[in-house]
Amino acid sequence: MTYLLSIYTAVRNRDETQLANCEQRLKSLAEAGTLPPDAATSLDRIVARARSGSWQSAAERLYEFMLAQRRDGYTGSPKTTPATRRKK
């Protein structure tokens, strides 16, 4: 799961070099079968969104993806972002 933090950092910092490194790592994980196909597809779309210049949107989608991976079964709003999420 540390790869998610690396991707998030790359997207939030708008770092194309780090994003390319993360993309290569994702491909390696997918090819090795350690990254489920659905997750690989979702992350590929997020990377493509960032590459197209939609960095903020990519960061929001990635954050939502990361929340969905939580063990506690987080079921917050699909529009929840770090800026809008509030503690109850």
Side-chain angles (χ1 to χ4, degrees), residues 20-76:
N21 292 338
C22 292
E23 185 176 28
Q24 184 57 44
R25 185 170 178 200
L26 289 174
K27 286 181 184 178
S28 297
L29 291 170
E31 289 171 1
T34 56
L35 182 63
D38 289 345
T41 299
S42 294
L43 293 170
D44 284 344
R45 288 180 181 152
I46 291 167
V47 168
R49 186 178 293 243
R51 287 199 180 285
S52 74
S54 298
W55 293 96
Q56 181 63 35
S57 177
E60 290 169 2
R61 296 283 184 186
L62 183 55
Y63 184 76
E64 291 169 7
F65 179 88
M66 292 169 69
L67 285 178
Q69 307 309 305
R70 290 175 40 165
R71 291 177 193 242
D72 65 0
Y74 177 79
T75 58

